[in-house]
Each structure stands twice: as C-alpha cells, then as structure tokens.
Amino acid sequence: MSEYKLETDSALETEQLAQKLATLLKPGDVVTLEGDLGAGKTTFTKGIANGLGVKRNVSSPTFTIIKEYEGELPLYHMDVYRLENSDEDIGFEEYFNGNGVSVVEWAQFIEEYLPDERLNIKINYVDEHTRELELRATSTHFEWVINELVS
Ligand code: ADP
Ligand code: MG
C-alpha cells in the first residue's frame, strides 16, 4: 500500500516526528520498527511516548521484551531482538488487540504474530546525524496517518 520516505537530521527531529505521529494514533494501533542497532528505534519510541503523554522515562526493554507505560493511551513497548531464532509467543495478541498503542522494535523477528494492519517504519543509517525513514502503511487508517504526518 502507501509508502513514504523522509530524512531526519538529528535524534531530536526523529523524536519530534514520532511525537506528532503519536497524536494521530488510536487504541489498538501497531507500529513496527525495523533497522540496525543504533538506527534510532528506541529514540523513535521515546517520541511516541512523549506524544502519548507518558511521564516515565522510556528505556530499551531488551531484557524484559515488553514494557507497559501509562499515558493518554497505554504504550506497549516491545523489543523482540532476543526472539530472532525463536518462535516463542509471549502473548503478543493480547497487546495487539488491547487498548493501547503497540510499538515493536525488531518487528521482523516476530513476523508471524504481527497483525495485518500496521504502520511499518524502517530506519536506515545515513550518517552520524542523519537517518532515512521509510514509512509503509498496510491499511487505509495508516495511509491517513502517514498523510497527516507529512502534511
Ligand atoms: P536502536 O533502538 O535502533 O538501537 P537508539 O534509538 O537506541 O537505536 O539509538 C540511536 C542513536 O543514534 C542515539 O544515540 C541517537 O542519539 C543517535 N542519532 C543520531 N542521529 C539520529 C537521528 N536522525 N534519528 C535518530 N537517532 C539519531
Ligand atoms: Mg532499541
């Protein structure tokens, strides 16, 4: 479906973009993040958290896999890096069908559990301060989200 590419020139710019994205999301939305270590997935998630009004500091949940935060909508932050070579299902559906916003780092590792309707963001390293973000919507709702985000 619809795709859009853009660049950010700082971590702050990535956070601000993610913060704006958060204001366009609704309960049950799933945002999947792909990109190498240090690409900016957690930075992006922090921006989403800010936009959802999460007060606590968001840190990488690598060792817990899922962290839940209270905001105007709940945020379910997952980092499934450790599941690369496993098909362990740690109850993802409950989160994806829940009332919060799910944000999944390394989402490609749990492809089989991901819902069909999602906003996928691939973050590519360009240079020390620059990242290319590829936004891909797989539903009309997320097409609308992308249009609003970049307008
Ligand atoms: P990941 O979760 O993908 O491993 P992090 O968000 O933890 O990545 O780290 C990204 C690092 O890159 C941070 O140190 C951040 O400050 C830095 N950075 C530099 N430029 C950018 C940018 N344009 N967008 C996001 N992060 C950036
Ligand atoms: Mg991370």
Side-chain angles (χ1 to χ4, degrees):
M1 274 185 147
S2 119
E3 285 194 29
Y4 194 92
K5 276 189 196 176
L6 54 85
E7 278 190 4
T8 62
D9 294 316
S10 67
L12 182 63
E13 202 188 321
T14 296
E15 267 200 64
Q16 286 170 342
L17 182 79
Q19 189 171 333
K20 182 176 175 192
L21 168 67
T23 65
L24 301 168
L25 297 176
K26 60 179 175 55
D29 276 358
V30 176
V31 177
T32 54
L33 300 175
E34 297 180 27
D36 293 340
L37 197 70
K41 301 179 296 301
T42 300
T43 301
F44 196 92
T45 308
K46 284 176 195 242
I48 290 183
N50 286 342
L52 293 177
V54 170
K55 299 278 182 281
R56 273 167 60 207
N57 181 48
V58 168
S59 59
S60 187
T62 302
F63 296 102
T64 46
I65 298 182
I66 298 181
K67 276 191 192 171
E68 237 177 292
Y69 298 89
E70 229 177 272
E72 278 149 45
L73 292 177
L75 169 65
Y76 312 132
H77 181 198
M78 309 173 200
D79 183 325
V80 299
Y81 182 73
R82 285 198 306 143
L83 302 182
E84 177 172 13
N85 294 310
S86 137
D87 55 8
E88 191 184 347
D89 180 354
I90 55 172
F92 293 112
E93 280 197 14
E94 250 183 78
Y95 291 97
F96 297 150
N97 297 326
N99 290 319
V101 166
S102 298
V103 178
V104 189
E105 297 191 36
W106 299 102
Q108 66 269 34
F109 294 159
I110 58 158
E111 189 70 46
E112 64 266 49
Y113 301 113
L114 296 174
D116 293 336
E117 299 199 356
R118 60 197 199 243
L119 175 60
N120 180 256
I121 301 177
K122 181 143 192 290
I123 309 178
N124 302 308
Y125 182 99
V126 178
D127 65 30
E128 193 182 352
H129 299 291
T130 310
R131 303 291 187 270
E132 179 197 58
L133 278 66
E134 292 178 61
L135 313 178
R136 191 168 49 85
T138 66
S139 71
T140 51
H141 164 60
F142 288 116
E143 283 183 355
W144 173 83
V145 167
I146 291 177
N147 284 333
E148 291 293 312
L149 180 64
V150 301
S151 65

